Amino acid sequence: MTSYVTSAAKAEINELRRLRGLLPPELQSWVTVEKTTEIDPPLLRCEELSRDEVEIAIDLVKWENLALDQRNLLFWHEVARIQNDTIPREGWEMAALAIGLGGAVGELWVQDGVLLLLALGLCGVSGYRLYQKNNSDKALQELLEADEKAIALASRFGYTLPNAYKSLGSALKTLIEQTPKKRLRKQYETRLEALRRSASKAKSQSKAKRSSRDVTQTSPYQL
């Protein structure tokens, strides 16, 4: 039993070390990869720990059920979110909204117009930020953009474009099958459909480039 536990712990350490090696060099000094300690956590979660430190937390129990290429592309999706600056920030908005509302009520009582305007302004800024955070269309668009960037990152690490698309598509299919939550499953399905359209477009562009290159090479008008 002790030997099994030791072996499992070693495997987890090796996997975390491997994933850290998949970080682009420009991120390695301030992005950490750790095993999550939450109860019933998401598979992957990005969090800004401070202004100069971001953590990617992984549920290694669920992670083991995925193939290596699937893991890589899902990991690069999170890396892409960091690069796109779309990960959750510290939740100051609710506190600011509460302070603003409290201030507004207080200034109505004492009838100080300037402070009332400041309190209402604080309410407006924090309320708008909360709206942005909870805007499902915006959040989904950010996920789709991260998928596209994950494909580019995979190419940077040696994947061919077709293999990168296949690996991420396969990962999303697996997540759809394993996800009981309807809303999250729908999100994965939307990402998969968008990925298929992107892959089809990339394939068409590749064919057009090859055809153009072949015509150029055989053209009698070439100088």
Side-chain angles (χ1 to χ4, degrees):
M1 182 65 178
T2 303
S3 176
Y4 172 78
V5 173
T6 302
S7 178
K10 186 176 180 180
E12 290 180 350
I13 292 171
N14 288 339
E15 177 62 4
L16 292 174
R17 186 181 294 119
R18 186 187 74 83
L19 292 172
R20 290 174 191 131
L22 294 181
L23 288 169
E26 62 271 21
L27 269 62
Q28 290 181 3
S29 63
W30 56 279
V31 176
T32 60
V33 185
E34 302 295 342
K35 174 184 176 181
T36 184
T37 56
E38 298 177 32
I39 298 174
D40 191 26
L43 177 65
L44 287 159
R45 178 182 54 77
C46 274
E47 183 179 3
E48 187 179 68
L49 301 180
S50 66
R51 297 186 66 179
D52 56 357
E53 185 179 7
V54 173
E55 179 183 85
I56 302 176
I58 303 174
D59 182 352
L60 290 176
V61 175
K62 298 174 185 174
W63 194 246
E64 289 178 354
N65 297 325
L66 297 167
L68 188 65
D69 287 335
Q70 293 175 334
R71 297 180 193 179
N72 291 349
L73 268 296
L74 290 175
F75 179 76
W76 282 321
H77 171 87
E78 296 302 310
V79 172
R81 291 182 65 208
I82 296 171
Q83 291 180 324
N84 290 344
D85 197 27
T86 58
I87 62 173
R89 293 293 187 271
E90 295 178 0
W92 58 267
E93 293 89 353
M94 284 299 294
L97 183 60
I99 293 170
L101 288 172
V105 172
E107 300 316 322
L108 281 173
W109 182 260
V110 299
Q111 297 183 344
D112 189 320
V114 175
L115 292 178
L116 175 60
L117 288 175
L118 289 174
L120 291 175
L122 181 59
C123 287
V125 171
S126 55
Y128 179 68
R129 287 297 301 269
L130 284 171
Y131 167 76
Q132 284 187 314
K133 272 190 172 184
N134 296 304
N135 186 330
S136 58
D137 291 338
K138 181 176 182 292
L140 179 60
Q141 184 58 40
E142 289 173 352
L143 291 175
L144 299 183
E145 290 172 357
D147 282 338
E148 289 293 329
K149 197 157 191 173
I151 297 296
L153 280 167
S155 299
R156 179 176 171 182
F157 277 83
Y159 277 70
T160 64
L161 206 56
N163 283 341
Y165 275 109
K166 287 177 183 177
S167 297
L168 183 52
S170 172
L172 290 173
K173 287 178 185 177
T174 300
L175 292 179
I176 290 169
E177 294 170 357
Q178 296 178 353
T179 302
K181 295 180 181 179
K182 186 176 180 180
R183 183 177 178 182
L184 184 56
R185 188 169 66 247
K186 178 64 176 176
Q187 186 184 93
Y188 290 142
E189 290 170 349
T190 303
R191 287 172 58 187
L192 180 59
E193 285 304 312
L195 190 70
R196 284 170 174 162
R197 291 193 296 270
S198 177
S200 178
K201 182 179 178 180
K203 184 177 181 180
S204 298
Q205 290 175 340
S206 178
K207 283 184 177 179
K209 286 181 180 179
R210 285 200 301 269
S211 297
S212 176
R213 187 164 58 246
D214 291 343
V215 168
T216 302
Q217 289 174 347
T218 58
S219 173
Y221 303 100
Q222 183 177 358
L223 296 178

